[in-house]
Amino acid sequence: EDQVTQSPEALRLQEGESSSLNCSYTVSGLRGLFWYRQDPGKGPEFLFTLYSAGEEKEKERLKATLTKKESFLHITAPKPEDSATYLCAVQRWAGGTSYGKLTFGQGTILTVHP
Amino acid sequence: DAGVIQSPRHEVTEMGQEVTLRCKPISGHDYLFWYRQTMMRGLELLIYFNNNVPIDDSGMPEDRFSAKMPNASFSTLKIQPSEPRDSAVYFCASSYTWGPSGYTFGSGTRLTVV
């Protein structure tokens, strides 16, 4: 069974204090690893898709990296508006354009204090 | 595009009553997903459709739950009869093919069954 474990469960940072969130996974044939951001009272918002080990993607203060067993979301010099829950998900390989099962982690609640 | 539109945003109902949640996906997206989110279980996939056809409903908790997608621009999730343990936030999401650009989630319906 596919599994996604995120750590830590919660992280408090001071504005400007860089850190990383971890997503450890096991999946039968990885098609893609996704990162989402979720604000209170809203649906998850897509951030990145990573496909293979060694791949990196960046967006503003966020950088996501991928190895064969885990992914990291690095946050550089965070601001209070980066406070949110960050969700990681893995999608199992399926043929062609078919949907493969997507498994979400429980998320990391990030709070950035001014 | 206005994104994925869900209604109502909040629903409070009494145990035993029928509840219908509604979703309008993004035009052109061929996959539609219904998720449920709780603190204990996180995001759980209930059912998904491809080109309006239900593909996998193995996540539907009981026969009290049913979902339909009569056309490409509308889907419903019905709970009949509702129970207090159904209280959760229900999200609808849509994607183009298997979702390499991520899923677009709606803002969710917060359901409270008393």
Side-chain angles (χ1 to χ4, degrees):
Chain A
E1 184 176 338
D2 303 339
Q3 286 192 321
V4 178
T5 303
Q6 292 188 246
S7 61
E9 291 185 9
L11 180 63
R12 293 176 178 269
L13 299 174
Q14 288 297 125
E15 184 172 4
E17 179 187 2
S18 301
S19 188
S20 297
L21 312 182
N22 178 262
C23 171
S24 297
Y25 66 91
T26 56
V27 62
S28 176
L30 178 69
R31 174 180 238 164
L33 184 141
F34 300 81
W35 281 98
Y36 285 84
R37 169 192 171 128
Q38 186 173 20
D39 292 301
K42 294 188 176 182
E45 177 186 351
F46 171 74
L47 293 173
F48 304 109
T49 308
L50 301 168
Y51 295 98
S52 58
E55 188 174 3
E56 298 182 352
K57 288 194 176 174
E58 292 188 59
K59 181 178 181 179
E60 297 181 354
R61 294 176 292 281
L62 300 177
K63 183 169 81 171
T65 62
L66 181 65
T67 73
K68 289 186 177 180
K69 293 184 178 181
E70 57 191 351
S71 177
F72 293 94
L73 185 64
H74 307 278
I75 304 175
T76 302
K79 298 181 178 182
E81 52 261 43
D82 295 322
S83 298
T85 297
Y86 290 85
L87 297 166
C88 171
V90 294
Q91 186 172 70
R92 181 184 291 188
W93 181 261
T97 59
S98 299
Y99 167 79
K101 182 181 177 183
L102 191 69
T103 302
F104 278 89
Q106 290 285 78
T108 293
I109 302 171
L110 174 66
T111 305
V112 182
H113 296 284
Chain B
D1 201 319
V4 175
I5 300 172
Q6 291 187 247
S7 64
R9 289 281 281 130
H10 302 276
E11 178 80 39
V12 180
T13 190
E14 292 186 347
M15 184 173 63
Q17 296 298 305
E18 177 179 299
V19 175
T20 299
L21 312 181
R22 297 172 176 80
C23 174
K24 176 180 169 54
I26 289 177
S27 177
H29 280 189
D30 53 346
Y31 279 90
L32 182 138
F33 307 85
W34 281 101
Y35 281 88
R36 178 170 68 176
Q37 187 174 41
T38 61
M39 288 294 293
M40 289 296 295
R41 302 174 68 90
L43 269 169
E44 301 175 277
L45 178 65
L46 300 177
I47 184 172
Y48 76 92
F49 296 81
N50 179 219
N51 292 321
N52 314 336
V53 177
I55 303 300
D56 185 353
D57 65 354
S58 60
M60 298 284 258
E62 299 170 31
D63 291 345
R64 298 183 297 106
F65 286 69
S66 63
K68 294 182 179 180
M69 192 167 184
N71 56 63
S73 58
F74 185 66
S75 178
T76 60
L77 178 67
K78 185 178 294 185
I79 308 173
Q80 164 65 14
S82 58
E83 296 184 3
R85 58 194 167 122
D86 301 331
S87 297
V89 181
Y90 291 81
F91 289 105
C92 175
S94 69
S95 74
Y96 176 64
T97 68
W98 59 268
S101 300
Y103 301 166
T104 303
F105 283 78
S107 295
T109 295
R110 179 173 295 277
L111 173 65
T112 304
V113 184
V114 298

